[in-house]
Amino acid sequence: NRRRRRSLGMAGTSKQQSLKGRRKLVADADIQLSIVIAAWNGDALLRQCLMSLEGQTAKIGSEVIVISNFSMVSTVEFGIPVKFLELPETATVPELRSRGIGLSRGKIIALLEDHCILDSKWCQEIRKAHESADVAIGGPVENASIDHALDWAVYLYDYGKYMLPSEQGPVGALSGLNVSYKRAAMDEISDFYQDGFFETIVNDELKRRGYFLRLWPQAIVYHNKSYELKRAAEHSFHLARSYAARRVFKVSRLTHVLFALFSLLLPVLLPARIVSTTFKKGRNIAPLLRSFPFIVLLMFIWSYGEFCGYLFGAGKSADQWR
């Protein structure tokens, strides 16, 4: 691994490099777009993600940075230059994102994960979107894993609100699977992601400072992952518990209890919200009906995760998103 990083110009980077040093590197670079890919699902999905970038990056002055918690494929197979950095297998997805941002040099930082395939005009559309003054811009997430009901269930509860059709304009949330930021804004709030990049925390802080989140419907990615039920259930529980613990980190114990009581309603509210969103979109109704038993099960598990997070904290759940 050390030899690989040296050959890619990555030796000596990272933990010891100060934020000040990284900003100086940015000032010396002429890179428009840094594409940071958090890789945590294995070689096969990463390969497909990188292949979908071929033919896109050279036209707009970009760099591709892959930060993984597993041993990665070689760049020889791809028609684009890629910088790889391997972290320990215990590294979480937020940690992968944070490290990738720290190594990036572009004026725009786009965050992806290895389980997505990019539309052929994705880079062009992200660059075009950032000609505006908006600092946080994301795109839709469509589903490429369409054969199994469980895959549809995970997609609909996790990304269904980001599926097409969508209108360009301000939104309340953007998906961490397809989001981009102007570097100036990232530098302004760097304290909020140095130890791990959670898009909800970052986006909420940007909104608190008066910035808008904007959806750009033309910048499409495709969710590309199949699931086993045990793994999907564990993932749902741990994400929910760590999410809930972050929400109530600095509030009174009474608020913890009130949030926990409210979470008892979530097994009904969350499936209902997914159904409502899907019907409003007017698409994928049949997959929704086919996957609904899985949706109910996963949302019950999610609700239990939130309940535990509000009352007992994150436990070890924060370390499981990997």
Side-chain angles (χ1 to χ4, degrees):
N1 291 344
R2 184 178 301 170
R3 185 179 301 112
R4 179 182 297 168
R5 288 198 291 268
R6 184 179 296 115
S7 66
L8 291 170
M10 297 291 291
T13 61
S14 259
K15 279 187 179 180
Q16 293 77 23
Q17 187 179 35
S18 67
L19 183 60
K20 180 179 179 181
R22 290 197 296 268
R23 286 176 177 168
K24 185 177 186 301
L25 180 62
V26 170
D28 294 340
D30 187 24
I31 296 176
Q32 296 298 312
L33 175 63
S34 292
I35 302 167
V36 175
I37 302 174
W40 56 290
N41 291 285
D43 280 353
L45 293 184
L46 175 59
R47 185 189 306 272
Q48 293 179 57
C49 179
L50 289 173
M51 288 178 65
S52 70
L53 276 169
E54 289 186 3
Q56 295 197 49
T57 58
K59 300 176 182 178
I60 59 172
S62 61
E63 64 176 356
V64 180
I65 301 170
V66 173
I67 312 293
S68 83
N69 57 12
F70 60 87
S71 295
M72 295 172 292
V73 295
S74 168
T75 57
V76 173
E77 301 178 33
F78 306 106
I80 56 174
V82 182
K83 296 180 181 179
F84 284 113
L85 178 63
E86 296 175 21
L87 298 185
E89 63 180 11
T90 55
T92 65
V93 173
E95 291 169 345
L96 298 178
R97 293 169 172 172
S98 180
R99 183 65 68 87
I101 293 170
L103 294 174
S104 67
R105 299 175 292 163
K107 298 175 182 177
I108 302 163
I109 305 167
L111 301 181
L112 303 168
E113 295 177 30
D114 56 355
H115 57 107
C116 71
I117 297 174
L118 283 71
D119 181 79
S120 61
K121 295 183 179 180
W122 181 85
C123 284
Q124 174 184 326
E125 291 297 337
I126 289 293
R127 184 70 185 90
K128 182 178 178 181
H130 276 277
E131 292 174 359
S132 70
D134 294 301
V135 302
I137 301 173
V141 179
E142 289 284 276
N143 190 22
S145 298
I146 61 175
D147 294 332
H148 303 290
L150 177 59
D151 296 342
W152 271 109
V154 175
Y155 167 78
L156 288 171
Y157 92 70
D158 213 355
Y159 304 107
K161 63 183 175 182
Y162 304 112
M163 74 179 175
L164 294 171
S166 303
E167 293 185 5
Q168 181 179 320
V171 291
L174 295 170
S175 170
L177 191 64
N178 184 15
V179 66
S180 60
Y181 302 91
K182 286 183 172 60
R183 178 171 296 280
M186 286 286 91
D187 285 348
E188 183 179 330
I189 62 167
S190 60
D191 289 345
F192 287 83
Y193 63 82
Q194 288 303 303
D195 296 326
F197 187 101
F198 296 89
E199 67 271 16
T200 52
I201 293 176
V202 169
N203 292 344
D204 285 348
E205 179 60 21
L206 288 173
K207 289 189 290 184
R208 191 187 71 81
R209 298 187 182 211
Y211 296 111
F212 292 99
L213 311 181
R214 181 169 294 275
L215 183 69
W216 192 265
Q218 296 84 2
I220 305 167
V221 304
Y222 296 85
H223 175 250
N224 178 40
K225 185 177 178 179
S226 292
Y227 296 85
E228 296 179 354
L229 181 57
K230 181 176 182 295
R231 178 58 179 156
E234 291 173 347
H235 189 66
S236 182
F237 172 81
H238 290 304
L239 279 183
R241 182 169 180 175
S242 58
Y243 164 75
R246 291 194 305 272
R247 288 189 73 191
V248 296
F249 181 65
K250 294 183 179 181
V251 300
S252 67
R253 188 61 186 171
L254 176 60
T255 304
H256 286 237
V257 174
L258 291 176
F259 274 57
L261 291 175
F262 176 76
S263 70
L264 298 177
L265 302 176
L266 294 179
V268 175
L269 294 179
L270 293 179
R273 186 182 301 167
I274 293 167
V275 170
S276 175
T277 297
T278 306
F279 271 85
K280 286 180 181 178
K281 295 282 186 178
R283 294 180 57 225
N284 296 323
I285 306 301
L288 169 68
L289 298 177
R290 182 160 59 101
S291 63
F292 191 71
F294 286 119
I295 290 174
V296 172
L297 173 62
L298 292 174
M299 292 300 89
F300 180 84
I301 294 170
W302 177 280
S303 305
Y304 178 59
E306 282 204 34
F307 179 83
C308 292
Y310 293 134
L311 289 185
F312 310 116
K316 295 183 179 180
S317 291
D319 300 327
Q320 300 305 310
W321 189 5
R322 52 184 171 83

